[in-house]
Amino acid sequence: MKRLLLGILALAALPVLHAQSLVGTWQGTLTAGPQKLRIVMKIAATPDDHLQTTIYSIDQPAPPFPANSTTKDGANVKVTVSQLALNFEGKMSADGKTIAGNWSQGGPMPLPLTLERATAETAWTIPEPPPPPRLMPADANPVFEVATIKPSKPEAQGIGLTINQSNLMNTMNTPLSFLMAFAYGVQSKQIVGGPSWLESERYDITAKADIPGQPNDRQLKAMLQKLLAERFELTFHREKRELSVYAITIAKAGAKLTESKNNPNSLPGLGFRGLGNLVVTNATIAEFAGLMQTTVVERPVIDQTGLGTKRYDFQLKWTPDASQFGGRGGSAPPPPDGVEAPPDLFTAIQQQIGLKMDATKAPVDVMVLDSVQKPSEN
């Protein structure tokens, strides 16, 4: 009887050490087309007995990112990073040495990923994280000292504007109306009196600032304003007109927003991981409203929350309709079988971030164009 009891105790110890414990280092290779990325998850237990995960993509020059939640229900494991619209769901093997699952990051098709429990001998070396971006002095008044403007290729899809740590701005497939809307914080309906080519002609721009470091949002927009005046000979005057708008306010239950811990002087991050899947980092609600009016909806969006210059991180997921994204919203792919579709935009804003976006009329600034020309030669 004593020998049998010891045997039962020994068998009971095995799940505690392996199958039941996620604590440790897990690693696996994610294959995305021709690209192979090594993923490392370090999972630790907090003093209050919760799980805390830090994820490393060691083949990319990116800092590690913390998971919002890590759960284990029997053999089922789930790790979520809401900022990146990232989910990993898998099943742990009986011996506790592997987790076979799927990695999804905003797209409709998840990618298979099997994680193996690493030992001191098998663990991959994690490189040092990249240094934080060098910022321009906040009082600097930069200009683009060199700028190349070329017509976009006719087959180009999408629109993009980025600036890197080498103070180089790149735009892709951008019409002048988009550049004006971004530079001046307006919606296309607030641009009055322009020729039709403001929408139809698209450009790729590469421009280098004359001051080292990454500009803040104000500096980037000021540089772009100067570029539009110089190369497109853009002049205008402002008027107040009453227009149909969307007004963003705080919902009755209160805002559900997490204040950002990023440097408030660094650029905001507002990016889509597919139509109706928006990830926002280090952004004000006014900047969120600006993105909605230039990219998603067909009328100006004004911020009436009173939240001012506070910066937030959040994710917003909704099912876009045919009026959104310039008519492309209705073509968004349906969710996989068994997955419930997100709500419409207005419901999602209220449920997920505690704000409301209501249709109304309000006096807003409009840009009345006095002159504009197609860009001068490079």
Side-chain angles (χ1 to χ4, degrees):
M1 185 66 181
K2 189 173 182 180
R3 179 179 299 172
L4 177 60
L5 179 61
L6 289 174
I8 293 172
L9 289 173
L11 288 173
L14 182 62
V16 173
L17 291 173
H18 294 292
Q20 299 302 319
S21 176
L22 273 179
V23 174
T25 298
W26 299 84
Q27 58 192 32
T29 300
L30 186 69
T31 301
Q35 194 174 26
K36 294 185 182 296
L37 299 174
R38 289 176 295 166
I39 303 297
V40 176
M41 295 190 191
K42 289 184 175 288
I43 303 178
T46 64
D48 56 355
D49 206 28
H50 287 84
L51 294 169
Q52 192 171 58
T53 300
T54 303
I55 303 176
Y56 303 79
S57 180
I58 65 177
D59 296 312
Q60 294 178 301
F65 42 96
N68 297 89
S69 68
T70 302
T71 58
K72 184 173 183 296
D73 182 8
N76 297 314
V77 176
K78 184 174 182 179
V79 179
T80 300
V81 184
S82 59
Q83 259 183 259
L84 302 176
L86 188 158
N87 285 288
F88 172 76
E89 295 188 53
K91 189 170 185 177
M92 183 183 280
S93 61
D95 61 6
K97 293 182 179 180
T98 62
I99 305 172
N102 290 299
W103 171 288
S104 60
Q105 197 168 354
M109 296 297 294
L111 300 173
L113 175 64
T114 297
L115 298 174
E116 297 182 357
R117 188 188 293 274
T119 66
E121 293 76 24
T122 63
W124 293 330
T125 300
I126 297 175
E128 290 294 319
R134 177 186 176 186
L135 303 179
M136 283 185 184
D139 59 352
N141 185 23
V143 297
F144 288 126
E145 61 179 356
V146 179
T148 301
I149 304 175
K150 297 180 180 179
S152 301
K153 294 180 179 179
E155 68 274 14
Q157 299 291 318
I159 292 176
L161 187 154
T162 61
I163 188 159
N164 61 24
Q165 293 186 39
S166 301
N167 57 331
L168 192 70
M169 182 192 77
N170 289 287
T171 83
M172 179 193 71
N173 203 35
T174 46
L176 180 56
S177 59
F178 172 87
L179 297 172
M180 292 170 59
F182 176 81
Y184 289 97
V186 298
Q187 201 262 355
S188 59
K189 283 187 169 58
Q190 293 170 264
I191 302 172
V192 179
S196 61
W197 62 262
L198 262 65
E199 288 281 352
S200 59
E201 301 285 334
R202 295 177 176 248
Y203 301 96
D204 297 341
I205 301 176
T206 300
K208 186 175 179 62
D210 63 339
I211 297 175
Q214 189 180 81
N216 59 32
D217 186 60
R218 175 187 58 79
Q219 291 167 326
L220 175 58
K221 290 179 177 177
M223 286 193 291
L224 187 52
Q225 292 172 13
K226 296 169 190 173
L227 178 68
L228 297 180
E230 179 182 349
R231 299 294 294 276
F232 290 85
E233 300 181 37
L234 174 65
T235 63
F236 64 93
H237 66 276
R238 293 185 182 271
E239 294 180 5
K240 281 277 188 187
R241 297 188 184 181
E242 188 172 82
L243 299 178
S244 295
V245 303
Y246 288 114
I248 299 180
T249 58
I250 298 177
K252 283 186 178 180
K256 303 174 185 178
L257 295 165
T258 301
E259 287 200 44
S260 179
K261 296 180 181 179
N262 291 310
N263 185 334
N265 292 318
S266 60
L267 288 171
L270 301 104
F272 289 95
R273 302 185 182 278
L275 298 180
N277 190 348
L278 173 64
V279 178
V280 174
T281 57
N282 198 43
T284 65
I285 299 304
E287 289 165 343
F288 165 63
L291 176 76
M292 298 302 288
Q293 72 177 13
T294 56
T295 307
V296 180
V297 296
E298 77 292 352
R299 61 176 71 180
V301 181
I302 57 176
D303 172 23
Q304 295 183 342
T305 61
L307 295 173
T309 58
K310 291 182 179 179
R311 296 186 171 273
Y312 301 98
D313 298 338
F314 60 88
Q315 183 187 6
L316 188 66
K317 298 182 78 171
W318 75 95
T319 298
D321 63 37
S323 71
Q324 297 166 11
F325 296 98
R328 294 180 295 121
S331 64
D337 291 340
V339 177
E340 185 177 352
D344 64 82
L345 172 62
F346 304 95
T347 303
I349 286 177
Q350 188 160 343
Q351 290 180 346
Q352 297 170 23
I353 59 176
L355 304 180
K356 291 199 305 177
M357 194 166 82
D358 296 320
T360 186
K361 285 197 171 185
V364 296
D365 282 330
V366 299
M367 297 172 60
V368 182
L369 270 61
D370 299 317
S371 69
V372 64
Q373 301 293 326
K374 291 188 178 182
S376 55
E377 295 293 326
N378 296 311

